[in-house]
Amino acid sequence: MKPLLVVLLLILCAAVQAQSPADWWYFGNGAGVHFEASGPVADTNGVLNTSEGVATISNNSGDLLFYTDGISVYNSQHQQMPNGFGLMGNGSSTQSGIIVPKPNDNSKYYIISVQELGYVEGMRYTLVDMTLEGGLGDVDTTQKNVPLLSPTCEKVAGVLHANGQDIWIVTHEFGNDAFHAFLVTPSGINTTAVVSNVGNIVPFASIIATLGYLRFSPSGDKLAAANHTQNNFELFDFNAATGEVSNALQISTTISPYCVEFSPDESLIYAAGWYSASVMQYDISSGNATTIAGTETQIGTGQSTVMGALQRGVDGKIYVAQHYKQYLAAIELPNVLGLGCSFNDSAVYLDGKLCTVGLPTFISSFFSADFNADNACFGDTVFFTMDTLGVDSAHWNFGDPSSGGLNSATGFNPYHVFTDTGNYSVTLIAYSDTLSDTAINAIYIYPRQTLDLGPDSVLCGPDTITLDVSQAFSSYLWSDGSIADTFVLYGDTTVWVTLSGVCDTLSDTVVFDFESPIPIDLGADTSFCAGNTTVLDPALTVNATWAWNTGDTSLVLVVSQTGQFVFSASNACGDFKDSIYIEVIPLPGDSTLLPPDSIQCFDEAFYLSRPDNDSISFVWSDSSTAERFLVDTTMTVWLAAFNVCGFSVDTMRIIFNGEIKTELGEDTVICDEDSIRLFGTDSLATYVWNTGDSTDTIVTPVGQSKNYIVTITLRQCQLVESREVTSTDTACPDIDCALRYGNVFTPNGDGWNDRFQIESDCELVQFSMSIYNRWGQLVHESDNIAYGWDGYVNGEPASSGTYFFTVAYRDYVVVSSDRFVTQGTFSLLR
C-alpha cells in the first residue's frame, strides 16, 4: 500500500490551496479578497465600513476565523460576535488593531486595539475565545479593553520572538521618542514593555504626527516607521531576542509617507503617499540614509490621489490601497530594483466594492513559510532554497504548466528550468506535523538581451537619426558617455554602445556617414563660335556617384560641339541632375557653300540650294535670300554667308555648253533592198562613227545589218548614240507613200500660208516632225501631221530665215519595225 499512499499524498499536495493565517482580508466599504492558489479573488461578504485600520485572522488551514476594525468583531459568518462590540480602537486609526495568536493555544487570540490621534484610550488588548458560540468564537469579557499604553501613535506591529514561540507587539508612544515592545507568551501578555528611546520625537503639538504605519521586515530584524507629517520614514534594527529598537536612520522623501513595506528579500522598502498618487521605491542595501534617499524611484501612480496601506500578501506581492477605488494596486515583482518591479494599478478588482486607505495588519511571522530563488534568465536553471527548521516535507508548484510533469516537485531544494520569459507564481506548501503553510513568491524569468546597431550606413543629412536599443531590464553606456536607451546622431560618427542587462552584457559598434543633398548647376543654356570651347564643371562638393549622358568619365567636361549635356549624381539623399544645351555656332567659312564650277552639257536649268543653318544668314548674287537659286544660263553665281562669328563668300562658274542632239532614231528593220540615212543635227559638233566616217550624216549600205555607233563632241561635252539596223527581205512590201510640203511660209496672220505643214496621201500610223534653226537648235516638235508649225518659239515669233526639218513616219502597210525619214529645208518670211 505504501506506493499508493505516496501517490495519494502527491495528489493531495497538488490540490491544496494557499493555507495561511493571512489568507482572508476584509477592509474598506465591504471589500474583501481571498488568496487562492491562482492569486487573490474578490470576496464581497465582508460587513466592514471603515476608513483606515483593520485586522483579520485565519487558522493554519486558511479558514477564516474573525476580523475587526478595532471597535467591532465579526465571526466567519460575517456576524458580530455577541460581545464583539465596544473595543477602544478606532476605524480612523492608521492601524486600529492587530490580531495575535496566543502561543501554544490554537483557540485563543488577542486583539490589540489602537486609538486614533493619541487619545487617552491608547493601546489595549481584548481576548477572543474560539471555543465559544459553537466554535464561531466570542469576546472574553473578563479580558476586554485591558490597558497596555497611553497615549500612543496610530502604530502597531507584531513579529515572532527569537525563540520561535513568543510574539513581540511593538508601538510608539505619543509625545516622545519611545518604542514599547510587549511580549506575548503562553502565559499571556506581559504589560511591562521593553522601552527603546531612539529616532524622532513625535510631538504632542501635532496630533496628526501620530499617523503612519509601523512595519517589521519578514525576518524580524528590521523595523520601519512612516512619519506622515515629516516627509520621511525611519529605519531601525530590532533585536527579536530582547525587544530592543536601535540604530535609527531617517530617510528623506518627496512625499508624505502614510505606509511603508519591506520587499520579501528585505533589500527594498516601498512608501505610499497620502497626498500623492505616487508609490516610491528605495534601495536600503547601503545602510546609509543619504544614499538610500538618493535611490528614491517613482515606480507608478495609482488611480487615486490618496494612496494608503502597503501590505505584503501570501503570494509575495505587495498590495496597495487606493482610496475610494474598486481596485487594489500591486507591486508584482517587489524584489526587482527600479521600474522592473512592475507596478499594476488594476491588479485586483473588488467586484464593485470600494477600498479606502487601510488594509489588514498582520504579524510578519505569518509569512514565515518562505523560500528564496533568484530571478533568472531564460534558459538558466533556477534553484530554490527554503528554511527547513521545523518543516517535515515540502511540495512545490512552479506555475509553469508548459513544462508538463516537471511543473511540480518535492524536497527542500528543487530546481526548475522555465519554458518562457515572464512572471511566474511559485507556490511552496510546507508541512510540519499536522500543520501546513503556504508561500507564493513571484519569480521573473528575464529575456536575454539582444543588441544590433545594424550595418555601417550612409545616411542623408542634415536630418538626425535616433538609435534605439531600449529593452527591459537593461542599462546603457554610449560612446559619448550618455546612458539613455537612445542615441541621436547629428553627423559623421562612429558610435558604440555597451548594453548591460540582467542576463547579458553586449557591445556593438557602427559607423555612420551623413551625406548632403547634391547641388548641381551647369548654368543657363549658351552658345559660342566654332573653334572655341566651354568648360562644364558641376562643382561636386559631396560624396556621390555621377555620370554624364555623353559617357565621359571626366568630372569636368570640355565641350566643343553642339548638344544637350546632362549631369546626373546620386547619394543617400536621392537622385539629382541638371542639363544645359550648348550651341556651337559654325563659322561661315567653315564649309563650302556652293558646288565647284561646272559645265551643263544638256542645257537643263537647275537650282542651287544654300546650306540649312538658322545661325547663318545668306545672300545670293542677285541679292535674294531664298533657299534656292535658279541657274538657267551660263553665269557666275556667288553666295555670301555671315553671322556673329564672321563672313565668307563662295563663287561658282556655270557654263551651258549647248545640248547635243541626234536623230538616229530607234533600232529598225529595213528591206534588204533599202538603205537609211543616219544623221546628227548640230553642225558645230564633231562626229566619229564606228564605220570610220566623221560626217554628221551617213547612209547605210543596202542590205547590210549593223549596229551603228556615233560619238558626238560639242565643245566640252560628249554624247554616244547607237542604232541597230537589220536588213531583211520580209520588210520589202510595195509602198507608194509621198510627203508634200512647201519651201516657204509666211506666218503673218493674214490667213494665207501662215503655217508650215506636211501632207501625205498615205495612211500614216506614226508621225514625228522636228524643226531646227540655222544653229542646229530645236525650235519645234510635233507628232501630229495636221498640226504643223505656226512660226512661234516659246510664245515669241521666230526670226526670218532658213530652217531645217526632219520627218519620220510609217505607213500601215509597212512592217512595224520599218519607218521612213524625210528631211529638208524651208524659209520663214515675215
Side-chain angles (χ1 to χ4, degrees), residues 537-560:
D537 186 357
L540 196 63
T541 59
V542 299
N543 291 330
T545 58
W546 55 269
W548 289 98
N549 65 326
T550 60
D552 287 275
T553 58
S554 175
L555 181 62
V556 177
L557 197 62
V558 178
V559 176
S560 60

Side-chain angles (χ1 to χ4, degrees), residues 365-640:
S365 307
F366 285 173
F367 305 92
S368 60
D370 200 5
F371 59 92
N372 292 319
D374 292 333
N375 295 321
C377 297
F378 181 64
D380 291 346
T381 300
V382 181
F383 295 92
F384 296 87
T385 60
M386 60 176 289
D387 185 359
T388 60
L389 182 62
V391 178
D392 300 329
S393 62
H395 178 79
W396 303 80
N397 184 290
F398 300 114
D400 183 17
S402 297
S403 63
L406 299 177
N407 190 40
S408 60
T410 58
F412 295 145
N413 298 297
Y415 57 86
H416 186 70
V417 178
F418 289 87
T419 57
D420 201 353
T421 60
N423 196 20
Y424 292 86
S425 292
V426 178
T427 302
L428 164 65
I429 303 175
Y431 298 91
S432 177
D433 196 12
T434 61
L435 301 178
S436 66
D437 196 7
T438 300
I440 303 174
N441 282 351
I443 299 296
Y444 194 85
I445 304 301
Y446 294 94
R448 292 286 179 181
Q449 275 64 51
T450 60
L451 179 63
D452 183 7
L453 294 179
D456 294 347
S457 299
V458 179
L459 307 172
C460 181
D463 294 341
T464 59
I465 301 297
T466 299
L467 299 178
D468 188 344
V469 295
S470 58
Q471 52 194 281
F473 318 114
S474 299
S475 61
Y476 318 91
L477 176 62
W478 294 91
S479 47
D480 67 347
S482 61
I483 58 173
D485 56 5
T486 58
F487 188 91
V488 180
L489 302 172
Y490 294 96
D492 295 353
T493 187
T494 297
V495 180
W496 60 259
V497 64
T498 298
L499 182 151
S500 301
V502 174
C503 297
D504 304 284
T505 297
L506 305 171
S507 295
D508 195 12
T509 301
V510 66
V511 177
F512 287 98
D513 291 323
F514 279 79
E515 294 183 342
S516 302
I518 306 170
I520 305 175
D521 185 6
L522 298 178
D525 294 348
T526 188
S527 61
F528 56 84
C529 295
N532 297 312
T533 61
T534 189
V535 176
L536 299 182
D537 186 357
L540 196 63
T541 59
V542 299
N543 291 330
T545 58
W546 55 269
W548 289 98
N549 65 326
T550 60
D552 287 275
T553 58
S554 175
L555 181 62
V556 177
L557 197 62
V558 178
V559 176
S560 60
Q561 60 184 8
T562 297
Q564 184 83 21
F565 298 88
V566 181
F567 182 80
S568 303
S570 62
N571 64 8
C573 293
D575 298 325
F576 304 85
K577 68 170 54 178
D578 191 24
S579 64
I580 183 173
Y581 181 78
I582 294 178
E583 180 185 10
V584 178
I585 303 173
L587 298 174
D590 279 356
S591 60
T592 302
L593 301 177
L594 295 174
D597 293 347
S598 68
I599 296 176
Q600 292 296 100
C601 290
F602 300 101
D603 288 357
E604 290 186 7
F606 63 93
Y607 284 95
L608 294 175
S609 296
R610 63 171 172 80
D612 184 12
N613 192 321
D614 294 338
S615 65
I616 299 177
S617 298
F618 298 93
V619 175
W620 295 97
S621 49
D622 66 352
S623 300
S624 70
T625 60
E627 291 185 2
R628 299 197 302 169
F629 184 90
L630 178 64
V631 179
D632 57 2
T633 187
T634 297
M635 65 175 65
T636 298
V637 179
W638 56 260
L639 176 63

Side-chain angles (χ1 to χ4, degrees), residues 52 92-95 114-119 152-156 172 174 202-203 206-214 225-234 256-260 274-275 306 357:
E52 295 186 64
S92 187
S93 175
T94 303
Q95 291 174 286
V114 180
Q115 183 56 262
E116 69 169 337
L117 301 175
Y119 291 169
T152 66
C153 296
E154 298 179 3
K155 303 176 188 291
V156 65
H172 196 291
F174 181 37
V202 182
S206 177
I207 59 174
I208 62 171
T210 62
L211 275 64
Y213 272 77
L214 192 65
N227 297 321
H228 176 57
T229 62
Q230 300 178 39
N231 283 57
N232 65 56
F233 67 87
E234 291 178 284
S256 298
Y258 178 72
C259 186
V260 290
W274 179 280
Y275 299 114
V306 176
V357 293

Side-chain angles (χ1 to χ4, degrees), residues 689-730:
W689 296 86
N690 62 343
T691 62
D693 296 295
S694 57
T695 59
D696 60 351
T697 303
I698 65 172
V699 177
T700 65
V702 174
Q704 184 181 56
S705 296
K706 186 177 179 65
N707 183 26
Y708 295 91
I709 302 173
V710 61
T711 300
I712 306 170
T713 302
L714 178 63
R715 290 182 285 277
Q716 300 183 47
C717 297
Q718 196 172 73
L719 177 67
V720 177
E721 290 278 3
S722 67
R723 182 178 183 186
E724 181 78 29
V725 176
T726 303
S727 177
T728 175
D729 58 3
T730 61

